[in-house]
Amino acid sequence: MRRQIFDEQGLAKGKWRYFLSIVLGCYSLVILLVCFIPQPQLFETIQTPNVMSVGRFRLLLVPLNSLWSLSKLTSGTSILWVVGQNIMNIFLLYPLVFLSHCLWKKWQSPQKSLWLGFRLSLTIELTQLLLDFLVNANRVFELDDLWTNTLGALLAFYTYQWLRRKLLIT
């Protein structure tokens, strides 16, 4: 049973490969929806400190803003919102990168995983800026998103390595 999921190189095989490819495609669509649909003004009461506006662009360029600004938040809801956003950003690209490891040998190193996570994250952030330029999508370019998404990619690599070892041991 254990050897039915991965081949000797640690790549998904057979029906598992097909299934994981479909999951990857579906999750990619979810990322597109989550990251690029214009965001409603629902959360205007929760203000993230240090967000600056330049025309329609909203930028958060303070590294580790959540840590430095936690004491500036005035309510438990705001604190939960900011901490929750960071946790969600760590896991935003996690499934995508994990599935990439299962399907392609090309990404199977910590350095390549970091590079993949960073490039995907930067592409998302720059595309959100472009959307704000074209239509007012109410998005924020956050420097912290780059490192949290990249951290998630690295965690996905180590999860993949652990699972692969676990499933390949007879």
Side-chain angles (χ1 to χ4, degrees):
M1 165 90 181
R2 291 182 178 189
R3 293 190 184 269
Q4 292 176 354
I5 296 173
F6 294 115
D7 64 16
E8 301 77 36
Q9 294 182 340
L11 300 175
K13 64 181 190 174
K15 291 181 181 178
W16 281 103
R17 184 170 191 77
Y18 178 73
F19 173 73
L20 293 178
S21 296
I22 290 172
V23 172
L24 178 67
C26 291
Y27 191 74
S28 297
L29 289 174
V30 169
I31 288 179
L32 290 173
L33 292 172
V34 167
C35 294
F36 301 129
I37 287 182
Q39 203 168 34
Q41 304 284 336
L42 296 174
F43 303 107
E44 290 304 311
T45 57
I46 300 174
Q47 295 293 320
T48 304
N50 301 317
V51 173
M52 64 178 176
S53 295
V54 179
R56 285 198 297 206
F57 298 126
R58 293 178 43 203
L59 309 166
L60 184 58
L61 303 176
V62 177
L64 302 173
N65 183 63
S66 298
L67 292 176
W68 307 137
S69 302
L70 211 53
S71 64
K72 294 179 186 175
L73 298 173
T74 57
S75 72
T77 304
S78 297
I79 292 170
L80 283 174
W81 176 256
V82 170
V83 171
Q85 278 187 315
N86 282 291
I87 291 170
M88 289 186 327
N89 275 321
I90 289 171
F91 291 103
L92 176 71
L93 297 179
Y94 179 95
L96 189 82
V97 174
F98 177 81
L99 292 168
S100 296
H101 291 312
C102 293
L103 296 170
W104 299 290
K105 189 81 171 151
K106 177 180 181 177
W107 302 109
Q108 293 182 356
S109 78
Q111 297 83 5
K112 289 180 180 178
S113 190
L114 282 169
W115 183 235
L116 176 62
F118 179 77
R119 286 191 324 185
L120 288 170
S121 182
L122 184 61
T123 300
I124 289 168
E125 294 300 316
L126 292 175
T127 304
Q128 287 178 343
L129 278 179
L130 178 62
L131 277 174
D132 274 334
F133 177 73
L134 297 173
V135 297
N136 190 6
N138 194 30
R139 293 298 188 160
V140 179
F141 178 97
E142 291 188 47
L143 196 58
D144 282 353
D145 287 358
L146 296 174
W147 77 263
T148 53
N149 293 158
T150 304
L151 173 62
L154 186 62
L155 292 174
F157 170 76
Y158 287 118
T159 303
Y160 164 78
Q161 290 289 70
W162 174 82
L163 182 65
R164 187 178 131 194
R165 278 193 304 276
K166 198 82 162 152
L167 294 176
L168 287 177
I169 296 172
T170 55

